[in-house]
């Protein structure tokens, strides 16, 4: 597939965490955001796009929950810091979605926010947690069985 201007492209060398599950979640979020970008070019009602944006916000919540669970199971000593970061990131996304739904920002502004948010999240993942997660690989995967990543 050829990317269009404005779409996100995953680069494992610069964005990969070294944890396959996290990277797959991030790639799925990239794909979902690219689908939204494609849909935004189609003449759709704001309500239809709001529903799609809402689904992406739900995916973000599930992803953050999955990351938190991985770090929790891994025994990473800075778990509380990561939880606070994720709470902040989720509140940011929810607030901006509310602004979009209320007409305070445009669809393009909300899409731009989501691109920036996702890039910031992917690039700010606490890489110090990676060795802990990798060491507890089987336990981490078992813990994630209760939190599947839904389709977009």
């Amino acid at each position: 597939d050829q990317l269009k201007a404005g779409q996100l492209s995953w680069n494992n060398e610069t964005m990969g965490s070294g944890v396959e599950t996290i990277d797959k979640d991030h790639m799925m979020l990239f794909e979902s955001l690219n689908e939204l970008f494609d849909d935004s070019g189609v003449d759709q009602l704001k309500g239809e796009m709001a529903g799609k944006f809402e689904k992406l916000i739900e995916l973000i919540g599930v992803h953050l929950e999955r990351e938190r669970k991985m770090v929790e199971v891994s025994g990473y000593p800075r778990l509380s810091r990561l939880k606070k970061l994720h709470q902040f990131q989720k509140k940011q996304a929810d607030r901006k979605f509310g602004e979009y739904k209320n007409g305070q920002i445009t669809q393009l502004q909300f899409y731009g926010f989501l691109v920036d948010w996702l890039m910031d999240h992917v690039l700010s993942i606490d890489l110090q947690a990676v060795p802990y997660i990798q060491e507890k690989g089987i336990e981490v995967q078992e813990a994630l069985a209760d939190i599947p990543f839904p389709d977009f």
Side-chain angles (χ1 to χ4, degrees):
D1 282 331
Q2 187 76 19
L3 285 177
K4 298 173 186 153
Q7 288 189 318
L8 295 173
S9 175
W10 179 262
N11 181 325
N12 206 47
E13 285 183 32
T14 58
M15 299 174 185
S17 68
V19 177
E20 184 179 354
T21 304
I22 291 173
D23 292 342
K24 281 185 177 179
D25 278 14
H26 288 165
M27 284 186 261
M28 295 215 19
L29 288 170
F30 270 53
E31 289 174 21
S32 299
L33 199 51
N34 283 341
E35 281 183 41
L36 277 174
F37 181 79
D38 287 344
D39 289 348
S40 69
V42 177
D43 188 23
Q44 293 195 26
L45 298 174
K46 182 175 179 176
E48 291 174 17
M49 285 306 295
K52 292 177 181 189
F53 278 127
E54 187 168 23
K55 177 70 175 168
L56 181 59
I57 296 297
E58 289 172 19
L59 289 179
I60 287 170
V62 170
H63 166 66
L64 293 174
E65 182 182 355
R66 286 167 54 86
E67 270 190 9
R68 182 200 48 77
K69 188 69 167 182
M70 284 185 255
V71 173
E72 194 174 272
V73 169
S74 77
Y76 180 56
R78 297 174 74 187
L79 175 63
S80 64
R81 183 174 95 57
L82 186 90
K83 281 183 177 181
K84 286 178 186 171
L85 174 64
H86 280 182
Q87 287 171 347
F88 173 75
Q89 289 176 327
K90 180 67 170 109
K91 283 180 185 175
Q92 262 187 323
D94 289 342
R95 188 187 83 244
K96 279 293 186 186
F97 180 60
E99 289 175 13
Y100 167 70
K101 282 194 330 186
N102 294 329
Q104 295 168 286
I105 61 174
T106 66
Q107 181 175 301
L108 185 59
Q109 288 171 317
F110 186 53
Y111 178 80
F113 162 79
L114 288 170
V115 168
D116 291 344
W117 184 96
L118 184 55
M119 292 302 295
D120 181 58
H121 171 73
V122 167
L123 297 175
S124 71
I125 184 170
D126 198 337
L127 295 178
Q128 294 172 351
V130 168
Y132 292 85
I133 294 169
Q134 290 172 331
E135 185 177 314
K136 301 277 187 174
I138 293 171
E139 294 97 63
V140 166
Q141 291 308 313
E142 288 172 354
L144 289 180
D146 295 338
I147 315 170
F149 197 83
D151 292 329
F152 183 65

